[in-house]
Amino acid sequence: MALISKMTSLPGNHNPESVPAVGASGKGRWLECALAAACLLLLTGGPAPGVNEAHYLVQARHYWNPGWCGGDFFLQSQDVHHVFFWTIGWLTQWLSLPAVAWIGRFAAALLLADSLVRLCWTLHRQPGTALLIVALYVTLLKWTHMAGEWVVGGVEAKSFAYALVFYGMAELVKGRWRRVWPWTGAAAAVHVLVGGWATLAALLCWVASRDRMPLGKMWPSLVAGGAVSLVGVLPALALAGGVDAATAGEASMIYVYERLSHHLLVSRFETLLVLRHVAALLVAGILVVGLRAWTSGPLRRLCLFSGAAVLIAMVGALLDLLLPRGELEAGLLRFYWFRLSDAMVPLLVSLLLVQLAVQFRQHSQRMARVVVVGCLLLVLAHCLGTLAGRISDPRPDADRLTLPGNQAVAHQRNEIYWQWRNTCDWIRENTEPDALFVTPRSQQTFKWYAERGEVVNWKNVPQGAADLVGWWQRVEELIPDLEYGFYSMEMDKLKERMRHYGAEYLVTSYGSRFRSLLMDRVYPADGVYSLFEVYRLEP
């Protein structure tokens, strides 16, 4: 109730233009940053590995130690996240992957919290307000995305890139245009798509602003931001280098239509996800109109930036719906047109809801309290849902989403998880460090736990055009069936392909049918029950 009282006691004629500098109360801001970081970790941080940590952190470890998981096709492919590997990956030389994951999470949470608090304080300086906005943002981000974008969660390159975008947005909202472009350029250096779309949105915002800075005064800053972005842009451009047009087109088709359509094609998004994002857009529109947000400089620029993100998503949707399926559409839609809208719409709604409480204070303190209590209830519902989910299924997110039987009842899920961990532990302790494995399609944590290379992994899709085509060939030859992976293959053909790719071992789940193979079962020992089995291919 203290937070409600503080917020609703703000002056009714609150003017965002007159907000003092962010540094005016350093102790208060740092305390709020610490609380916001704790909020981010509590609401999003489960056991390691998170959904994408088993993808990016194993890359980071291999980047610094190329002999680790030697022969793994994915780890030897091209990648663009060199800044992430240099800032976080070096820790894998001395620490375990879970330890690096948690260090990275703390670092990302602190940076995101500081950037979000700085953005919030450009509009609202009352203590506790930024904390509420951050908690509400994380809640709405989870409940309103349509393309699967997330900002806060496990550690990867875009966690830091979004923090840099928020720093740039804080400068944009204050009208300090020359400070915007170095921030978005730095974001592009860390994650080229996050920073690239943010830069485009900021440019569109600048074009539509009434008080925009003349280009003649801003161009040195633009050049500086562009120069910094080259750290991420040049490796991204190199992904398509060295291949002919046919290979590049095939790679785009695989990437967009076969592997990542759930992120890239609005026509393949779940209807419910699209509807709830549209609902969030409608709420944002109502708040913008009701608050006359376009009349205030800071709020107007915030709305313009978010509107630019939505406009980018609308262009992506039109490209998907109007262009025929083919290499042209795939080449255009592989750039995640919807991710910035996913990230910005809930942020805009969170900021405007708090602004609504401030404006209601002019007429009715009761209505202001209703808005704040409603926001708190949303956050509480998210907290309770997250806590209930962790209690009912304490497995790491990377395993919850992909292990066989993830829809089973609780005791079966836990048994599958621990049997998988035991199998991977045995492999790590009893096989050669450079051994190569064929693994079940429905998992993504083999390298994390077993520390051995795989011939192919469905989750670990390469970025380079040539590597992507090679990855798809391996998928079709070794794990073609969406549900059963290699279980649908003829046994002789499976063994032939294992030899072709240099695989020495086969990991099966529920693999009794493989006991008739001319392979030696090396795990588990005779008479020992295990849901997973390991076979060694004879020379």
Side-chain angles (χ1 to χ4, degrees):
M1 293 305 293
L3 174 63
I4 299 173
S5 178
K6 288 178 180 179
M7 287 190 57
T8 56
S9 64
L10 286 170
N13 59 351
H14 176 74
N15 181 9
E17 301 269 21
S18 64
V19 171
V22 173
S25 178
K27 291 183 179 180
R29 185 170 72 86
W30 285 114
L31 176 60
E32 195 143 18
C33 286
L35 293 174
C39 173
L40 296 180
L41 287 171
L42 290 173
L43 288 176
T44 61
V51 174
N52 288 340
E53 287 172 341
H55 178 92
Y56 287 101
L57 288 181
V58 297
Q59 278 186 299
R61 183 167 184 176
H62 181 80
Y63 183 87
W64 285 89
N65 180 10
W68 185 76
C69 289
D72 186 276
F73 177 74
F74 167 68
L75 295 182
Q76 294 176 336
S77 65
Q78 288 179 282
D79 196 79
V80 298
H81 300 301
H82 301 298
V83 174
F84 176 73
F85 296 154
W86 274 92
T87 53
I88 297 295
W90 62 273
L91 292 171
T92 62
Q93 295 292 94
W94 296 279
L95 300 173
S96 67
L97 289 175
V100 175
W102 277 106
I103 291 172
R105 289 181 186 184
F106 275 105
L110 287 171
L111 199 63
L112 282 164
D114 183 61
S115 61
L116 284 168
V117 168
R118 180 172 298 207
L119 175 59
C120 294
W121 277 36
T122 61
L123 301 172
H124 308 287
R125 290 299 302 273
Q126 188 66 33
T129 303
L131 179 60
L132 174 62
I133 292 172
V134 169
L136 186 60
Y137 174 49
V138 176
T139 299
L140 295 179
L141 186 66
K142 181 178 180 180
W143 290 351
T144 65
H145 72 81
M146 69 173 176
E149 181 68 343
W150 58 268
V151 174
V152 187
V155 60
E156 63 170 277
K158 70 178 178 182
S159 307
F160 301 98
Y162 272 115
L164 298 174
V165 169
F166 296 145
Y167 282 125
M169 288 180 64
E171 301 299 337
L172 182 148
V173 168
K174 289 183 284 188
R176 299 176 179 176
W177 291 101
R178 281 181 291 197
R179 299 187 182 187
V180 173
W181 316 114
W183 284 117
T184 59
V190 176
H191 193 291
V192 64
L193 288 179
V194 169
W197 285 127
T199 301
L200 177 59
L203 284 170
L204 293 173
C205 179
W206 173 79
V207 170
S209 293
R210 299 168 180 169
D211 55 351
R212 60 179 177 269
M213 177 177 289
L215 185 60
K217 294 183 178 180
M218 197 172 62
W219 71 264
S221 176
L222 277 169
V223 171
V228 172
S229 72
L230 292 178
V231 176
V233 171
L234 292 179
L237 294 176
L239 293 176
V243 299
D244 55 33
T247 301
E250 182 182 0
S252 295
M253 295 281 286
I254 293 168
Y255 194 79
V256 173
Y257 296 116
E258 303 295 344
R259 180 59 184 87
L260 292 167
S261 60
H262 57 293
H263 292 312
L264 304 174
L265 300 177
V266 71
S267 58
R268 298 194 186 181
F269 293 168
E270 292 183 27
T271 303
L272 177 60
L273 300 186
V274 176
L275 290 176
R276 70 184 193 182
H277 191 68
V278 171
L281 280 174
L282 291 175
V283 171
I286 293 171
L287 289 171
V288 168
V289 173
L291 292 170
R292 297 178 61 84
W294 66 86
T295 62
S296 166
L299 278 178
R300 175 181 170 82
R301 288 188 286 270
L302 174 68
C303 294
L304 286 175
F305 184 88
S306 302
V310 174
L311 178 62
I312 292 168
M314 292 175 64
V315 172
L318 290 175
L319 289 174
D320 179 25
L321 297 175
L322 298 180
L323 290 178
R325 170 172 171 153
E327 292 183 4
L328 174 61
E329 183 193 38
L332 292 172
L333 288 174
R334 64 173 298 161
F335 298 112
Y336 291 81
W337 291 73
F338 309 100
R339 74 183 331 153
L340 195 62
S341 179
D342 268 8
M344 291 301 118
V345 170
L347 180 59
L348 177 64
V349 172
S350 301
L351 287 162
L352 291 182
L353 281 174
V354 172
Q355 182 67 19
L356 179 65
V358 171
Q359 295 294 336
F360 267 148
R361 178 66 179 86
Q362 298 180 18
H363 310 290
S364 170
Q365 186 170 339
R366 173 179 292 181
M367 290 300 298
R369 288 182 174 178
V370 167
V371 174
V372 176
V373 169
C375 293
L376 291 173
L377 289 176
L378 287 175
V379 172
L380 179 61
H382 182 205
C383 292
L384 293 177
T386 300
L387 179 62
R390 291 297 174 201
I391 292 175
S392 65
D393 189 355
R395 299 177 299 168
D397 287 340
D399 291 310
R400 288 203 297 175
L401 293 176
T402 58
L403 272 185
N406 59 35
Q407 301 299 322
V409 296
H411 74 278
Q412 293 174 331
R413 290 196 305 260
N414 292 334
E415 181 180 11
I416 291 169
Y417 169 68
W418 285 110
Q419 291 276 5
W420 174 246
R421 290 289 305 271
N422 292 338
T423 302
C424 291
D425 289 345
W426 183 91
I427 290 170
R428 188 181 64 253
E429 295 168 1
N430 294 277
T431 62
E432 305 82 356
D434 60 349
L436 199 57
F437 286 75
V438 173
T439 56
R441 176 165 170 156
S442 54
Q443 61 79 29
Q444 69 179 55
T445 55
F446 178 79
K447 284 189 281 289
W448 183 279
Y449 297 130
E451 300 186 15
R452 296 295 184 268
E454 298 173 271
V455 175
V456 65
N457 182 292
W458 177 253
K459 169 68 175 179
N460 295 337
V461 54
Q463 298 295 305
D467 293 327
L468 189 54
V469 172
W471 170 83
W472 184 246
Q473 179 180 345
R474 290 172 179 238
V475 167
E476 291 190 311
E477 291 187 356
L478 277 170
I479 51 172
D481 190 277
L482 181 63
E483 183 175 358
Y484 297 104
F486 55 73
Y487 296 101
S488 61
M489 295 176 58
E490 295 292 334
M491 298 301 101
D492 290 340
K493 184 176 290 187
L494 173 60
K495 292 163 64 178
E496 175 188 340
R497 289 176 179 171
M498 287 178 64
R499 292 192 180 95
H500 173 72
Y501 288 111
E504 303 169 64
Y505 294 92
L506 178 75
V507 182
T508 73
S509 55
Y510 325 115
S512 59
R513 67 186 291 247
F514 289 86
R515 295 181 183 180
S516 61
L517 292 176
L518 296 178
M519 292 189 192
D520 294 327
R521 192 184 73 174
V522 295
Y523 177 86
D526 291 339
V528 177
Y529 170 74
S530 175
L531 293 171
F532 297 92
E533 298 176 339
V534 182
Y535 291 86
R536 183 166 189 167
L537 183 65
E538 73 278 5

